[in-house]
């Protein structure tokens, strides 16, 4: 599990506004930032397969890195 708990609530909201995540990406981002669920728990909440979850998570992280590089 990736720990994004260093992000503040305003950081997460700023990223969400600036990047425009999908609903699934937004859920994953908030759980990773609050560090309140494991990857498996998030998969269950989203009701997606393991492969689908990690694909969404990978896309989410790519978007965050891309935005960081642009800033």
């Amino acid at each position: 599990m990736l720990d994004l708990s260093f992000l503040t609530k305003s950081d997460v909201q700023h990223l969400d506004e600036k990047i425009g995540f999908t609903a699934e990406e937004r859920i994953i981002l908030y759980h990773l930032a609050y560090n309140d669920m494991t990857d498996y728990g998030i998969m269950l909440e989203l009701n997606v397969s393991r492969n689908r979850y990690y694909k969404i998570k990978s896309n989410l992280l790519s978007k965050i890195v891309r935005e960081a590089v642009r800033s």
Side-chain angles (χ1 to χ4, degrees):
M1 173 146 172
L2 179 67
D3 183 13
L4 294 179
S5 61
F6 63 90
L7 293 173
T8 65
K9 186 175 183 177
S10 63
D11 291 338
V12 173
Q13 289 173 343
H14 176 74
L15 285 171
D16 192 13
E17 291 170 7
K18 191 139 186 163
I19 296 173
F21 297 113
T22 66
E24 292 171 329
E25 289 170 340
R26 187 174 296 113
I27 291 169
I28 293 170
L29 174 62
Y30 277 87
H31 283 302
L32 293 177
Y34 295 129
N35 200 22
D36 62 351
M37 271 193 196
T38 64
D39 285 336
Y40 185 70
I42 302 169
M43 278 182 247
L44 289 175
E45 180 179 332
L46 292 174
N47 196 26
V48 295
S49 69
R50 185 178 190 278
N51 288 340
R52 173 103 174 105
Y53 171 77
Y54 284 109
K55 182 175 180 171
I56 296 167
K57 185 177 176 182
S58 176
N59 289 339
L60 165 70
L61 297 176
S62 295
K63 288 179 180 181
I64 292 172
V65 169
R66 206 173 316 123
E67 181 58 35
V69 170
R70 289 182 186 158
S71 298

